[in-house]
Amino acid sequence: MSAENEAVDAAAAGAPRVGAGDSDAAGGGSSRADAARDGADPASSGRPVAGRVLAALRATLAERGLIAPEGAALLMVSGGSDSTALAYLAHELREQGALGAVAMLHVNHQLRGADADADARFVQDLAALLDIPLFLCEVDVAGEVARTGGNMEAVARHERYLAANEALRSMCFHEAVPLAEGRIVTAHTADDRIESFYMRSIVGTGPGGFRSMRYANGPVVRPLMDVSRADLRAYLEERAASGLPVARDEAGALWREDATNAHTDRFRAYVRHRVVPRAREWNPALADVLTRTMNLIADEDDLLDEMAAEVVARDVAPLAGGATRSAAAESAAVPDEGGPVLAGDPGARAAGDAARASGSPAASGADADFSEGFLLLPSFGGVRRPLQRRAVHRLLQAVLGADERVDAAAVEAVLDGFGPVQDGASRPADSAASGIPAPATGRAADAGRTGCADVVRRPAPARPRGGYVANIQGDLAVSANRHGVRVEPMAAFRARRKRG
């Protein structure tokens, strides 16, 4: 990536373009102060749309703890209506003391020629108007695609977030804010989330896909996901009409339009202009209804993610560094009788304890580095299939990278490395000595449950299928033996086989 980050001081950026008839922001300051004493939002007095949008933004920030008041907020601003509104809203919250350090990042992907340069100039004017430091970054996305053969949108997104992380580190350093309290703030709205929901409905999705977007994903936060694009545009128009200063482009527009957003040969644009409007014809309250639905899905998805993380921590070992587990963990995880180790049983716990004590790669559990592959321990076969799928999806994503799609068929191919316990092999009912009761059924079972172990554990556990081999995702090998089911790059698999 060729990137140049520069903080733009408002005084050095030149005078911003201010719309005709726009007045100084200081006008009417006393009335806003009176409104603040009365408990109203001082920044939105006389602006009903602003009041509604700011209230929704404040509620989302507070309820989800997205940005600490003393933290650092790096705004991703393209110049479109949504991110332009985000800049104004962040400015208002900063002026009210609800946000700490604020900066903006604009990435020019060099894909739209003069229009992209005009976008950058507009964002510079906006940053100067609001007295917000600006990081400017230019990335030759087309050149990077030619070099790597990657997908244009995926490469652009990857480079954009590389630049964002670099800018956030610089911002936190200069603002003396711990990096852990810095956030990359995007302007995704309820509309973006709904579009993603329908896109995934059309092409299919993996575990958690129908939550559509997360309010927070690591340092990236999306505080506008409870606000519609129409409300943000109305907010911008109301701001200009009220006499507050606004930035305008060379044509006098309040935000920049990317003409490619209207091309319905692009999937998102097709969903935005063809699918969503038809759905709104049936239900004008689609945004509110679908947002509530996605949030319900998200709550349950979070619970399943936590359960899957526990499975990964207990029943999976990373292959980072070419090692899997210590000898102590190996012997503890594989019972002498060759039967399955159920999730949560003493054998599985002993394996984890031994690994942690030995300092082997497996010791770090769910926080381990799985980028070089992973080993599903025999105990993984005792986990219910839905949690297995979620855990394997998570693991494959770690191996492939965040920008790669995990195929549903690949997940199933990994799980096919486990097969049913054969007749004569030890089963949970034969394992009274281990302290694990046989799976119970009926009302007695319901009455006797004391935790979620029965939810996680399979009624009919599986064990690794020795000799099983598969190729997934183009360059990953799956193999199974008595020690578990291994997933690794094909080159590593071949080298290991060659060594015998």
Side-chain angles (χ1 to χ4, degrees):
M1 177 185 75
S2 60
E4 178 185 4
N5 290 339
E6 58 174 314
V8 179
D9 184 87
R17 280 185 280 279
V18 178
D22 296 330
S23 63
D24 192 296
S30 60
S31 62
R32 286 197 295 276
D34 292 339
R37 284 193 296 272
D38 293 337
D41 188 330
S44 60
S45 178
R47 294 188 293 144
V49 177
R52 184 170 67 251
V53 171
L54 279 165
L57 175 56
R58 283 177 171 276
T60 302
L61 289 171
E63 291 169 8
R64 301 184 180 277
L66 298 182
I67 308 172
E70 67 280 4
L74 176 69
L75 315 179
M76 302 277 279
V77 181
S78 67
S81 60
D82 301 346
S83 62
T84 298
L86 173 66
Y88 286 118
L89 290 164
H91 168 74
E92 295 202 47
L93 290 181
R94 185 188 65 177
E95 295 302 298
Q96 297 171 43
L99 276 184
V102 176
M104 290 164 49
L105 167 68
H106 177 78
V107 179
N108 183 345
H109 298 111
Q110 299 183 334
L111 293 173
R112 296 169 45 244
D115 285 340
D117 295 335
D119 293 346
R121 290 194 297 273
F122 172 78
V123 174
Q124 284 181 291
D125 288 345
L126 178 64
L129 174 71
L130 301 177
D131 191 22
I132 296 178
L134 173 67
F135 292 87
L136 288 175
C137 176
E138 293 187 352
V139 182
D140 181 9
V141 171
E144 190 67 11
V145 169
R147 185 181 70 82
T148 63
N151 172 272
M152 184 76 74
E153 291 186 8
V155 169
R157 181 173 62 251
H158 178 72
E159 296 294 331
R160 190 162 59 246
Y161 280 101
L162 280 179
N165 279 285
E166 183 181 345
L168 183 64
R169 285 193 295 271
S170 175
M171 178 188 181
C172 288
F173 175 79
H174 287 97
E175 297 288 349
V177 173
L179 184 58
E181 294 183 12
R183 296 292 182 268
I184 297 167
V185 188
T186 74
H188 291 100
T189 66
D191 298 80
D192 293 303
R193 196 178 182 196
I194 290 168
E195 290 160 11
S196 293
F197 179 90
Y198 281 113
M199 290 169 70
R200 293 175 180 182
S201 299
I202 293 170
V203 301
T205 186
F210 285 120
R211 72 186 298 158
S212 187
M213 290 181 177
R214 294 177 182 268
Y215 286 89
N217 189 7
V220 179
V221 297
R222 303 178 177 97
L224 295 178
M225 285 211 306
D226 294 323
V227 181
S228 71
R229 182 173 295 115
D231 273 346
L232 291 181
R233 292 185 172 186
Y235 163 81
L236 294 173
E237 290 163 352
E238 181 186 72
R239 179 182 177 90
S242 69
L244 290 173
V246 292
R248 296 181 183 271
D249 70 1
E250 288 90 341
L254 293 170
W255 62 82
R256 296 286 299 167
E257 287 283 7
D258 182 351
T260 62
N261 287 336
H263 296 172
T264 55
D265 56 335
R266 297 175 60 186
F267 188 28
R268 181 173 290 275
Y270 174 81
V271 170
R272 177 179 299 175
H273 297 292
R274 299 283 181 85
V275 177
V276 175
R278 297 298 296 270
R280 279 203 173 99
E281 290 176 9
W282 281 95
N283 185 2
L286 179 71
D288 291 338
V289 170
L290 201 49
T291 295
R292 283 197 302 272
T293 300
M294 289 186 288
N295 285 343
L296 288 173
I297 293 171
D299 287 344
E300 296 181 1
D301 183 55
D302 287 339
L303 175 61
L304 290 170
D305 265 351
E306 291 176 12
M307 296 171 71
E310 292 174 1
V311 168
V312 170
R314 183 187 59 231
D315 302 318
V316 184
L319 300 184
T324 55
R325 298 170 292 164
S326 66
E330 187 85 21
S331 61
V334 183
D336 292 338
E337 67 273 17
V341 181
L342 293 179
D345 78 4
R349 289 196 297 271
D353 293 342
R356 282 186 285 274
S358 69
S360 75
S364 49
D367 295 326
D369 178 8
F370 293 102
S371 60
E372 294 183 41
F374 54 89
L375 178 70
L376 304 177
L377 305 181
S379 55
F380 191 85
V383 177
R384 287 182 180 271
R385 192 80 166 191
L387 278 179
Q388 285 183 332
R389 287 195 189 97
R390 186 171 288 260
V392 169
H393 189 281
R394 172 188 185 135
L395 292 162
L396 288 176
Q397 198 72 73
V399 175
L400 296 169
D403 291 330
E404 295 297 322
R405 180 183 176 87
V406 175
D407 296 333
V411 173
E412 296 303 319
V414 173
L415 297 182
D416 284 346
F418 289 93
V421 178
Q422 301 299 316
D423 289 341
S426 113
R427 295 173 178 271
D430 302 326
S431 305
S434 71
I436 305 174
T441 57
R443 295 183 181 275
D446 294 335
R449 287 177 179 164
T450 58
C452 66
D454 291 300
V455 177
V456 175
R457 196 167 55 231
R458 293 169 68 120
R463 63 184 300 177
R465 295 167 51 193
Y468 176 81
V469 177
N471 172 233
I472 61 171
Q473 298 281 161
D475 192 42
L476 293 181
V478 183
S479 58
N481 59 26
R482 68 187 185 91
H483 301 311
V485 176
R486 177 187 289 252
V487 178
E488 60 193 327
M490 187 62 70
F493 169 76
R494 288 172 177 159
R496 188 166 53 83
R497 283 298 179 93
K498 188 174 181 180
R499 290 194 302 267

